[in-house]
Amino acid sequence: MNAFDTSAGPDTVDPERDVLLQQAQALRTAGRVVDALAILARLEQQHPRFSRLHQERGHCQILLKNGPAAIEALQQAVALNPTLPASWDMLAQLYRLLGDRVQADTAAQKLTVLKQLPPAVVVANSLYADGDLAPAEDVLRDYLRQDGGNVGALRLLARIRLDRQDAAEAEALLAMALELAPDYHAARLDHAMALLQQQKHQRARQEAERLLQHDPDNRAYCKQYGAACVGLGDHEAVVDLYARLLADPRLPAAEVAELRLWRANALKITGRPHDAVADYHAALAARPDYGVAWFGLSNLKTYRFGDNEIARMRAAVERAGVHDMDRVYLCFALGKALEDRGDHAQSWQFYARGNALRRQSSRYRPDGAQACANALRQTFSAEFFAARTGWGSDDPAPIFVVGLPRSGSTLIEQILASHVQVEGTQELVEIGRYAAELCGSDPACGLPLRPEALLRLSAADARALGERYLAETRAYRRLGRPFFIDKMPNNFWHIGLIHLILPNARILDVRREPMACCFSNLKQLFGTTNQEFTYGIDDVARHYRAYLDVMRHWDAVLPGRVLRVPYEQVVDDLEGSVRHMLAHCGLPFEPACLRFHETQRSVRTPSSEQVRQPIGRDGLAQWQNYAQWLEPLREALGDALTSYRD
């Protein structure tokens, strides 16, 4: 449910951390307890959640005969890391000395449970709790070579693989654990999480439903079910679900803010903007600096901030201690708020600041897109396709709408989905997932690493993959219409694969004038790694050029396969453009497609509110308000400024 994909944390927090802990331990052993505590104080400033530093402080306080301070330190240690036998042992002894039998027995029971576990599993759990993923994984893999049926060890290793961004192996490990212990509910919850991370939403929802049969009121199960529903585009279901979760009056403010945000997003997508605004405001009442809620309001596109709201955002973005991503969200929200007021100079400052902050945590490499474009050209020749004529599934149901983000693809989807024979779904991830399975995936941009791997596909493989796509996307089709739209813009990279496995699918490339398209990307904060090219002028310009390069290639080797849809032409001649698109899809003209803004359906892109209004020319020249700051973009685009029409 996070708005952003997050990369795994470091495998060890900091090499210096363990050195400082060892120094403190050595000083304590030498009787220099005060010096040891000084080192621990410094260590705590850098790593306050390092459990073993609190355990070591407990040791020191025992030597100083300060029982209350020792207990406080040890309780902090086990709160962060419940798998510290030494801490539980010391707590049991200290509570006995104080005559607190209940607390002493509780600590002793915790120690007994840990002693019953394999020592390697206890060590790995302790390392994992402190963020030492790599050594924890090494310990577990060594142990599982001797006891491969230990479901607790399998689950812990899976959690480590999830944290290290390997959801596929985590899924396999958890499937093994569940085969051995079908009622291991914690493992099933993790299994649902691994499926969600791979965007296998239908299976994730099935796992959540199984858990809810066991415990219908479990909040973690409900949230996992809600996340799977959102992934499937079933936003109506989660509106009431989140309202039910919010009914508990004991919720901490952070959870209230999170649930209100999720509900607001669902309300926005289902076309209830006024209710969405109320929930965004409720999220901010619970957590005033909640940047993503401020951004949610701005991302409605039709919302206008008041003076007080802008002042609150300005104060929050400068406040010390605000989380990095909250600051990023606030920058983009302020950029939009000030743009709406015509203060383009300050608006640009916040857009640029937000992009710079976001770029710092990005792994994106601009060379990756051009390398992928080159590899696609080398692999997919006209001869390649001629030799594979007739391959794939012949079902004509899919309609792919591709292009760059912010090109107008949501408008085209809404127009087509207004046809009685066409169902709109969402930006489906299946094609990209198949490409990653077959070709590998560049971790910096998510693009195929080795497209040449598709040379090994047989005719049977291509047909099976096409049938798999149709089966796996069925969960998103609820109206029973003969055609459906897959509006993943990034699929322009995969047109060769699409043609190979679904030769009768229709493909439309929505293309927007480069300055307008690139500016619109620069001012939009996206939530996935395959849009990280949008956080810098040079990056977005190079990506636009790579897009043109790839589309020129598809037009050369698959002439007539893709219909070019110029966004500006749709704005200037809606009916003519609609007739042309419908003809390409083999569909009769329907006047309802001209009244697309009246169509009631869920839309989950940043343009969700815009496509519920009649078409207008407002967006065509917005970038010109920022022309003085976009001169580097113009230079970086070069001949793309004219060649995009070719």
Side-chain angles (χ1 to χ4, degrees):
M1 296 298 302
N2 291 332
F4 283 88
D5 294 337
T6 54
S7 59
D11 291 340
T12 54
V13 178
D14 184 347
E16 185 185 0
R17 183 201 67 177
D18 295 326
V19 172
L20 289 172
L21 180 63
Q22 291 166 7
Q23 289 176 357
Q25 290 169 335
L27 288 167
R28 169 176 59 83
T29 303
R32 296 170 56 187
V33 177
V34 174
D35 293 335
L37 286 170
I39 288 180
L40 293 173
R42 186 172 53 154
L43 182 56
E44 185 175 13
Q45 290 180 342
Q46 301 169 6
H47 304 288
R49 298 187 60 79
F50 182 28
S51 68
R52 281 171 280 166
L53 88 82
H54 297 290
Q55 177 174 269
E56 180 58 27
R57 179 177 288 142
H59 279 292
C60 291
Q61 295 295 348
I62 287 171
L63 290 178
L64 293 174
K65 302 187 185 306
N66 188 341
I71 288 174
E72 181 183 359
L74 294 168
Q75 286 287 12
Q76 281 184 280
V78 296
L80 293 167
N81 182 355
T83 55
L84 290 172
S87 287
W88 288 119
D89 190 14
M90 286 186 285
L91 280 169
Q93 295 181 53
L94 287 166
Y95 281 126
R96 285 195 192 97
L97 289 172
L98 292 173
D100 190 337
R101 178 175 295 181
V102 174
Q103 293 277 28
D105 288 346
T106 299
Q109 289 170 5
K110 298 285 189 182
L111 179 60
T112 299
V113 170
L114 291 177
K115 286 183 175 179
Q116 292 171 350
L117 295 174
V121 175
V122 175
V123 169
N125 264 294
S126 184
L127 289 166
Y128 175 69
D130 279 333
D132 295 331
L133 305 186
E137 180 172 339
D138 291 342
V139 169
L140 284 170
R141 290 197 185 277
D142 286 343
Y143 173 74
L144 285 167
R145 291 188 188 97
Q146 303 162 18
D147 182 8
N150 187 303
V151 293
L154 287 169
R155 181 197 173 212
L156 180 57
L157 181 56
R159 290 178 70 85
I160 292 170
R161 295 313 302 166
L162 277 173
D163 286 350
R164 301 183 81 179
Q165 301 298 290
D166 187 356
E169 186 182 6
E171 178 192 345
L173 290 164
L174 290 162
M176 290 171 57
L178 290 168
E179 184 72 24
L180 295 166
D183 293 331
Y184 191 1
H185 302 307
R188 193 168 298 282
L189 183 63
D190 288 347
H191 190 230
M193 188 181 305
L195 292 167
L196 273 181
Q197 283 197 15
Q198 298 173 87
Q199 299 178 310
K200 299 178 180 179
H201 303 119
Q202 179 69 8
R203 290 176 57 200
R205 183 159 73 175
Q206 290 169 350
E207 290 288 62
E209 287 171 341
R210 183 166 176 176
L211 289 167
L212 287 168
Q213 289 174 0
H214 165 71
D215 185 357
D217 296 321
N218 186 293
R219 299 182 68 82
Y221 300 168
C222 289
K223 289 180 181 180
Q224 201 77 336
Y225 175 79
C229 286
V230 168
L232 287 168
D234 189 5
H235 302 279
E236 294 86 352
V238 302
V239 171
D240 291 338
L241 172 68
Y242 295 146
R244 180 161 62 87
L245 292 174
L246 281 160
D248 186 345
R250 301 165 298 175
L251 292 181
E255 187 172 359
V256 170
E258 185 178 67
L259 288 168
R260 287 290 183 185
L261 172 75
W262 294 348
R263 189 168 186 270
N265 291 340
L267 288 164
K268 168 196 168 185
I269 289 166
T270 53
R272 295 167 58 184
H274 297 298
D275 294 331
V277 167
D279 264 352
Y280 283 129
H281 284 156
L284 290 166
R287 186 182 158 196
D289 292 348
Y290 201 18
V292 67
W294 287 112
F295 177 73
L297 286 169
S298 73
N299 219 23
L300 284 168
K301 305 304 182 188
T302 55
Y303 184 81
R304 296 296 178 262
F305 291 99
D307 292 345
N308 181 58
E309 291 176 311
I310 291 176
R312 287 171 61 193
M313 285 192 287
R314 283 183 180 275
V317 80
E318 305 298 345
R319 189 172 294 129
V322 170
H323 295 160
D324 289 345
M325 275 311 305
D326 282 322
R327 206 180 307 278
V328 171
Y329 283 122
L330 283 160
C331 283
F332 279 91
L334 278 164
K336 178 64 168 62
L338 294 166
E339 180 181 2
D340 290 338
R341 294 189 166 208
D343 189 347
H344 298 112
Q346 288 203 51
S347 168
W348 177 253
Q349 288 180 13
F350 280 110
Y351 283 142
R353 182 178 173 185
N355 276 314
L357 288 171
R358 188 71 181 98
R359 190 70 175 85
Q360 289 175 5
S361 60
S362 169
R363 296 179 296 172
Y364 181 75
R365 294 180 300 100
D367 293 340
Q370 191 57 55
C372 182
N374 295 340
L376 290 173
R377 282 201 308 270
Q378 293 171 9
T379 301
F380 293 105
S381 63
E383 293 75 21
F384 172 94
F385 292 114
R388 292 161 176 79
T389 301
W391 284 27
S393 170
D394 59 5
D395 194 317
I399 299 173
F400 291 91
V401 177
V402 306
L404 288 183
R406 310 299 296 152
S407 64
S409 56
T410 302
L411 170 65
I412 301 309
E413 177 196 36
Q414 183 78 349
I415 290 171
L416 294 175
S418 301
H419 196 285
V420 71
Q421 296 188 54
V422 182
E423 179 170 2
T425 57
Q426 58 190 53
E427 295 181 354
L428 305 181
V429 301
E430 279 69 18
I431 293 294
R433 175 148 46 85
Y434 303 160
E437 290 174 9
L438 294 166
C439 308
S441 178
D442 187 335
C445 59
L447 296 177
L449 278 175
R450 296 175 295 279
E452 65 273 13
L454 296 179
L455 295 169
R456 299 192 292 270
L457 280 184
S458 67
D461 294 333
R463 182 173 184 83
L465 202 55
E467 295 296 339
R468 177 184 168 190
Y469 173 83
L470 294 166
E472 291 188 347
T473 56
R474 198 163 289 126
Y476 303 95
R477 303 173 63 185
R478 293 188 285 274
L479 300 180
R481 295 180 179 179
F483 300 96
F484 71 98
I485 303 168
D486 181 338
K487 194 200 79 70
M488 173 57 77
N490 215 42
N491 278 338
F492 77 83
W493 295 100
H494 310 308
I495 286 173
L497 175 61
I498 291 170
H499 179 75
L500 192 63
I501 69 173
L502 295 162
N504 292 328
R506 302 300 199 272
I507 308 173
L508 294 82
D509 166 33
V510 187
R511 187 168 301 183
R512 188 176 180 186
E513 189 277 325
M515 289 296 289
C517 185
C518 290
F519 168 68
S520 190
N521 276 279
L522 287 168
K523 70 171 190 166
Q524 180 63 51
L525 185 59
F526 293 99
T528 57
T529 54
N530 59 14
Q531 272 103 21
E532 290 191 351
F533 65 88
T534 63
Y535 302 130
I537 281 178
D538 186 60
D539 288 351
V540 74
R542 292 179 66 176
H543 201 88
Y544 192 101
R545 294 173 66 89
Y547 154 68
L548 294 183
D549 195 9
V550 170
M551 292 311 303
R552 276 193 293 267
H553 178 68
W554 298 134
D555 288 340
V557 299
L558 293 170
R561 185 71 176 85
V562 180
L563 176 68
R564 174 93 50 83
V565 181
Y567 172 73
E568 294 79 14
Q569 185 173 312
V570 177
V571 173
D572 289 336
D573 180 13
L574 177 61
E575 182 172 341
S577 298
V578 168
R579 289 183 180 276
H580 194 39
M581 288 187 287
L582 292 177
H584 178 75
C585 295
L587 295 167
F589 174 74
E590 285 188 1
C593 294
L594 303 180
R595 301 190 302 273
F596 60 87
H597 52 282
E598 298 175 0
T599 300
Q600 298 299 311
R601 53 180 290 268
S602 295
V603 183
R604 63 179 299 178
T605 70
S607 303
S608 59
E609 293 309 301
Q610 292 164 307
V611 299
R612 294 187 174 110
Q613 302 172 25
I615 201 164
R617 300 182 55 83
D618 295 346
L620 296 181
Q622 281 181 344
W623 71 269
Q624 294 177 9
N625 294 318
Y626 297 82
Q628 62 181 301
W629 302 287
L630 293 176
E631 191 57 34
L633 175 62
R634 180 184 292 279
E635 293 176 3
L637 283 166
D639 62 3
L641 292 167
T642 55
S643 66
Y644 82 97
R645 301 190 187 95
D646 296 342

